[in-house]
Amino acid sequence: MSGIKTLGQFIIEKQADFSYAKGELSRLLRDIGIAAKIVNREVNKAGLVDILGDAGTMNIQGEGQKKLDIYANTQFISALTSGGECCIVATEEEDDFVRIESPVSKNAKYIVCIDPLDGSSNIDVNVAVGTIFSIFRRKSIEGTATLADVLQKGTEQVAAGYVIYGSSTMLVYTTGKGVNGFTLDPSIGEFCLSHPDMKIPQDGCIYSINEGNYVHFPEGVKKYIKYAQVHDAASNRPYTSRYIGSMVADIHRNLIKGGIYIYPTTASSPNGKLRLLYECNPMAFIVEQAGGRASDGFNRILEIEPNELHQRASIFIGSEKMVRMAEEMMAAEYVEKVVTVQSA
Ligand code: AHG
Ligand code: MN
Ligand code: MN
């Protein structure tokens, strides 16, 4: 075991960095790690047991739920309930937030927003999926926590992370002091530190976007795609296009190699598709902590004021230079529109 540092050891070692509630946040992260291992076990044997396919139900956003969506949701809620540090879970799979009311969570101070299974359309075809989580400290001091405790800006996150169930399983998280990645060693059943202090390259040559929606994209995004496809040896263009369809997997790859992931507004999703609280905010916190950038094309994701649980946002996230370039093109489109309206 010499030289190996497990997630549990690392969390304890780093808890001195937390400004408050040291043991509690550590325990919460540990609980999430435990649930991730249970979900990982099921994801890995998905082809062997009757857990593939549709559950025959819909979530509040009208999306069909997979059996594994529901399984993962249940596992995370259950781990957070037994752990006793979380008072509310807001999850993609439940219409309303879930209040945790168990004797052990009487004094719980944390809110967890979670996408229990990200990229679930990929489960049935053996492609990487993930889990995304965001942790806030409750704002209210007395009584039961409320929706207002959940609807906090991304800048208020005390921790965020994701798990990727891919060719190996990794847990990557931040508590606002850099980003660290742990790979699950199945032989000992532990997440082990494998990617200390992760940094995203400032520039890259991968762009990730569902280009099938091209006709419905804002002009600024269309311009950026064309820019990505132009030959220019000095800036390594044309870029490489890579799109998995699991946000976690696409952003994880770009975090390591350098790149940009865009899910803009489209005609059918005028506010974007991805959810602010449990997809955009946590990924933005991680990428910023790794030295990258995340916006909705105009404004920093982490500064968007949430007003509903399942609120959506467009997202431009990844290497600093690439995101800035895409933002410039979005801004130019906006100016063009204003000028056209004024001169009409
Ligand atoms: P989820 O499976 O949690 O609903 O998330 C799916 C999301 C995201 O992971 C992915 O990048 C995106 O939807 C893919 O959407 P398109 O199929 O529209 O490209
Ligand atoms: Mn998702
Ligand atoms: Mn999901």
Side-chain angles (χ1 to χ4, degrees):
M1 285 285 284
S2 73
I4 288 181
K5 188 165 288 168
T6 68
L7 176 65
Q9 290 166 337
F10 185 86
I11 289 172
I12 304 276
E13 195 180 293
K14 291 287 167 191
Q15 71 180 13
D17 289 350
F18 305 159
S19 42
Y20 43 73
K22 303 176 186 311
E24 295 164 7
L25 186 53
S26 295
R27 283 194 291 276
L28 188 55
L29 290 165
R30 176 209 57 193
D31 298 338
I32 291 174
I34 292 169
K37 283 195 251 183
I38 297 171
V39 171
N40 176 64
R41 191 184 60 198
E42 293 310 303
V43 168
N44 272 300
K45 62 182 185 195
L48 294 171
V49 290
D50 184 25
I51 197 157
L52 281 177
D54 298 327
T57 49
M58 295 263 203
N59 64 21
I60 191 164
Q61 294 141 89
E63 298 159 338
Q65 291 175 308
K66 296 279 182 184
K67 288 179 192 163
L68 263 176
D69 279 321
I70 295 171
Y71 180 83
N73 190 46
T74 309
Q75 289 307 324
F76 280 102
I77 293 178
S78 148
L80 292 168
T81 305
S82 350
E85 306 300 346
C86 171
C87 54
I88 284 182
V89 185
T91 149
E92 178 187 359
E93 303 307 334
E94 312 267 353
D95 305 2
D96 211 346
F97 63 79
V98 179
R99 213 186 281 287
I100 309 278
E101 274 159 349
S102 77
V104 281
S105 36
K106 248 180 47 207
N107 299 314
K109 295 186 184 68
Y110 290 93
I111 315 282
V112 175
C113 300
I114 191 161
D115 176 355
L117 205 74
D118 174 64
S120 44
S121 69
N122 279 326
I123 298 165
D124 295 354
V125 291
N126 217 340
V127 172
V129 291
T131 294
I132 312 173
F133 61 91
S134 160
I135 302 176
F136 293 102
R137 206 174 146 84
R138 64 176 283 192
K139 288 253 178 224
S140 53
I141 297 165
E142 286 181 337
T144 44
T146 65
L147 181 62
D149 289 301
V150 184
L151 299 181
Q152 299 188 44
K153 286 202 291 192
T155 46
E156 302 299 308
Q157 291 173 101
V158 293
Y162 62 79
V163 184
I164 175 166
Y165 312 96
S167 45
S168 65
T169 296
M170 277 189 74
L171 188 149
V172 174
Y173 82 97
T174 182
T175 54
K177 295 223 156 49
V179 180
N180 290 284
F182 301 80
T183 303
L184 183 64
D185 180 342
S187 67
I188 57 170
E190 292 283 0
F191 283 106
C192 301
L193 182 62
S194 53
H195 294 60
D197 198 18
M198 296 173 82
K199 292 282 175 232
I200 183 167
Q202 286 298 291
D203 204 357
C205 49
I206 297 175
Y207 73 105
S208 313
I209 186 166
N210 184 343
E211 235 168 308
N213 292 327
Y214 186 87
V215 286
H216 301 302
F217 288 156
E219 286 307 315
V221 172
K222 287 183 179 170
K223 262 191 205 154
Y224 186 76
I225 292 175
K226 286 297 154 216
Y227 166 84
Q229 295 171 343
V230 164
H231 173 76
D232 176 47
S235 56
N236 266 326
R237 285 177 292 146
Y239 293 155
T240 294
S241 165
R242 288 281 182 275
Y243 190 74
I244 296 169
S246 295
M247 177 198 207
V248 164
D250 277 307
I251 295 180
H252 178 71
R253 181 204 50 242
N254 293 358
L255 178 61
I256 292 173
K257 295 190 164 186
I260 184 170
Y261 173 94
I262 305 178
Y263 208 110
T265 55
T266 63
S268 58
S269 310
N271 300 318
K273 174 185 177 184
L274 300 176
R275 279 57 53 112
L276 178 62
L277 292 185
Y278 41 82
E279 292 181 314
C280 301
N281 267 344
M283 296 312 276
F285 189 22
I286 294 163
V287 167
E288 282 196 6
Q289 280 295 314
R293 188 174 175 89
S295 75
D296 64 359
F298 302 99
N299 305 300
R300 188 176 171 218
I301 289 286
L302 297 184
E303 281 168 17
I304 298 176
E305 194 78 59
N307 39 47
E308 47 180 299
L309 212 51
H310 299 287
Q311 185 166 330
R312 295 176 193 265
S314 52
I315 189 163
F316 296 63
I317 183 168
S319 295
E320 166 89 24
K321 282 191 179 167
M322 299 178 88
V323 175
R324 273 193 194 278
M325 175 65 80
E327 284 170 354
E328 273 172 30
M329 294 185 185
M330 291 298 287
E333 175 212 346
Y334 179 76
V335 171
E336 240 169 63
K337 256 192 193 163
V338 172
V339 171
T340 317
V341 171
Q342 280 171 350
S343 56

